[in-house]
Amino acid sequence: MEEKCGKGEIMIRKKRDLSPDAKLRFPDYLGYFFGAGTNIAGYIVSAFLLIYYSNVLYLGLTQVGVVMAISKCFDGVSDILMGRIIDKTKSKYGKARPWYLRMILPLSMCMLFLFWMPPGLSETWKYVYVFITYNLASTVCFTANAIAHSSMIGFMTMDTRSRGIVGVMSMISNTVFTILVTNFFMKICKFFGGGETYTQRGFTLTILVYLVFYAAAAVLAFLLTRERIHNVSDSESRETEDTLTKQEKEKKETVHREAEVPFWTAIRSLFTNKYWILCLVMCLGFYFLMSYASSATVYFAQYVMEDISLQGTLASVLYIVLLVGIILALPVMTKIGKRNTMAIGLAISAVGWFLPQITLEKTIVIAASAIVGIGFGFIAAPAGSFLQDTLTYGTWKSGVTAIGMGNAAFSFVNKLSSALGTIILGFVLDAGKFDASLAVQPTSAIHAIKLLYIWMPTVICLVCLGLSVLYDLDKKLPFIEEEIKAGRIGEKRKTN
């Protein structure tokens, strides 16, 4: 059938298959690519919020870390609530897709308040302001935005190959937008700051520039993507109910099952899914490194390598080579599976992180960043679809579809990893007697920065490598998908 287009949507002349197991077309992939741009505010916060607090506002890093740690308690609740809101959303545009547009204005306002502080506040009220603005941005806006975007993989199709491509597209687009942030943010700050890197004016105007990119990406993501799971309205359902065969009705019941699932049933189905739990733990480590590395690189470049311009070089090399790593990983993933591809990436990354411990020669440090990039590419290629595979397994095992809730927990882990990075950076730097007002840091601060940039990432890679041995879902998925298509899930799976 010809696709109906709402007002303001791009009219795509070619027909789109809107069946639940459809193979996605180019507009969907392109739309999801731009969807990653809606997370650009999160990239800025994870990479530069701490340096803004320490070098522009001169706030205590330990106090900021405590504020963020407390905020994560609220974040966990908001992720679950937002996942449930998406599961219950009823719109002609779908469940997750409308949120691309809904969050443009509130997120933009919260980002401006986050990177600005009213003058004249006492020390206590400064941290109160940080708590309020950080929670408005992260707990509310980032949550709604990130869960909606990550849930789109599950709502766009059940086709495993298309999901895999979307997952890879997600990592490529995340990399592209991360490069746009990490390589240019400080340069734009310096430009608007009149040659000074750390000024309020520079940060505020730079945020405005990136918010324009964010809004454009959100609009394009909404216009180009389509949902195929749970996208049938009640009236359409009644009109077509009589024409469905018994088997088709069972399949329809399966794909629409989530809307009727009680809250605690969905929670129980997730926490009895061993692969989902393992995936979350591994992703916590990986996304911790992805977000944490950006912040640590700023301090490492300025205070250990004594060259702040090197920060952009290291970040750009890592993320550009990451794209190459993803391309190299695709044929490898096809031959040896997602788990084994990720294991190779973790081993390569561990080597790259450790190299600066051997020598701080500039060329070697840059080469080490490239090695980490290759490793990240091998990790990123399968990581994008890992979560959806575990949720597919959960549907088959328990008979409960919990895409929104499952992605909500993933969003929480993603933000938790970013917050943990900021918290750990703050505590370790304070313990090392780091002082942003000093051009030359004490030896203890240099050791702290090396611990953060070299040793911690190396250990995390090795721990995740050990955990990857326990993930053996790849070989089971083809059978599970056929069982779901046949309607043999949950109790039916046990009796058939």
Side-chain angles (χ1 to χ4, degrees), residues 114-427:
L114 185 62
F115 281 89
W116 173 82
M117 181 172 287
L121 293 179
S122 66
E123 284 299 304
T124 299
W125 279 104
K126 285 180 180 179
Y127 294 108
V128 171
Y129 182 84
V130 168
F131 177 81
I132 293 172
T133 54
Y134 181 77
N135 275 283
L136 286 174
S138 179
T139 306
V140 179
C141 295
F142 293 177
T143 293
N145 203 64
I147 293 177
H149 177 63
S150 61
S151 295
M152 280 298 293
I153 297 181
F155 288 130
M156 287 167 75
T157 184
M158 287 179 63
D159 181 66
T160 301
R161 183 175 181 276
S162 293
R163 278 185 176 180
I165 296 174
V166 170
V168 172
M169 181 66 72
S170 174
M171 299 311 301
I172 292 175
S173 55
N174 283 335
T175 302
V176 170
F177 286 106
T178 300
I179 291 172
L180 288 176
V181 171
T182 56
N183 190 40
F184 297 106
F185 189 90
M186 297 305 292
K187 293 181 176 67
I188 299 174
C189 283
K190 187 174 183 179
F191 172 78
F192 285 126
E196 294 292 329
T197 303
Y198 304 113
T199 65
Q200 181 62 61
R201 182 176 186 274
F203 269 78
T204 298
L205 293 178
T206 302
I207 292 297
L208 284 172
V209 170
Y210 280 101
L211 286 177
V212 172
F213 280 106
Y214 155 67
V219 171
L220 288 171
F222 173 80
L223 293 176
L224 293 170
T225 56
R226 295 293 183 274
E227 292 188 21
R228 292 164 179 80
I229 312 297
H230 312 291
N231 67 339
V232 180
S233 67
D234 292 339
S235 59
E236 291 173 325
S237 177
R238 286 193 295 270
E239 290 172 3
T240 59
E241 187 71 30
D242 294 336
T243 65
L244 298 176
T245 66
K246 180 179 178 180
Q247 186 179 20
E248 287 172 333
K249 287 180 180 179
E250 289 180 354
K251 291 181 181 179
K252 181 181 174 184
E253 179 184 354
T254 298
V255 298
H256 288 277
R257 186 181 302 271
E258 185 173 4
E260 291 77 35
V261 175
F263 175 82
W264 289 112
T265 300
I267 291 291
R268 185 167 58 252
S269 72
L270 292 174
F271 282 94
T272 55
N273 182 340
K274 61 181 179 181
Y275 294 113
W276 181 80
I277 294 174
L278 185 60
C279 175
L280 286 192
V281 175
M282 292 173 63
C283 285
L284 174 63
F286 175 53
Y287 286 106
F288 174 86
L289 291 177
M290 288 285 285
S291 60
Y292 165 90
S294 299
S295 296
T297 301
V298 177
Y299 292 96
F300 180 78
Q302 181 163 351
Y303 298 108
V304 177
M305 300 300 293
E306 299 180 351
D307 182 5
I308 186 58
S309 65
L310 186 61
Q311 177 269 330
T313 302
L314 292 175
S316 296
V317 166
L318 191 156
Y319 287 108
I320 291 172
V321 175
L322 190 154
L323 291 175
V324 177
I326 290 176
I327 296 172
L328 294 175
L330 291 179
V332 176
M333 185 169 65
T334 302
K335 288 187 176 181
I336 67 174
K338 299 175 184 178
R339 187 276 304 273
N340 293 333
T341 302
M342 178 174 280
I344 291 173
L346 288 165
I348 293 173
S349 297
V351 172
W353 284 119
F354 188 72
L355 272 181
Q357 177 62 30
I358 299 174
T359 176
L360 290 176
E361 201 278 320
K362 187 174 180 179
T363 303
I364 300 300
V365 170
I366 295 174
S369 188
I371 293 172
V372 171
I374 290 290
F376 273 15
F378 273 70
I379 299 170
S385 59
F386 254 24
L387 178 66
Q388 308 309 323
D389 289 345
T390 67
L391 294 175
T392 297
Y393 168 82
T395 297
W396 171 75
K397 179 177 181 291
S398 66
V400 174
T401 303
I403 296 174
M405 293 290 287
N407 280 281
F410 177 80
S411 172
F412 172 65
V413 166
N414 196 352
K415 288 189 295 183
L416 177 63
S417 65
S418 176
L420 281 175
T422 303
I423 293 166
I424 291 173
L425 273 168
F427 276 111

Side-chain angles (χ1 to χ4, degrees), residues 160 473-485:
T160 301
L473 182 58
D474 288 354
K475 59 186 179 183
K476 300 178 181 179
L477 274 177
F479 169 76
I480 290 172
E481 289 163 3
E482 290 300 320
E483 288 288 284
I484 292 176
K485 288 179 182 179

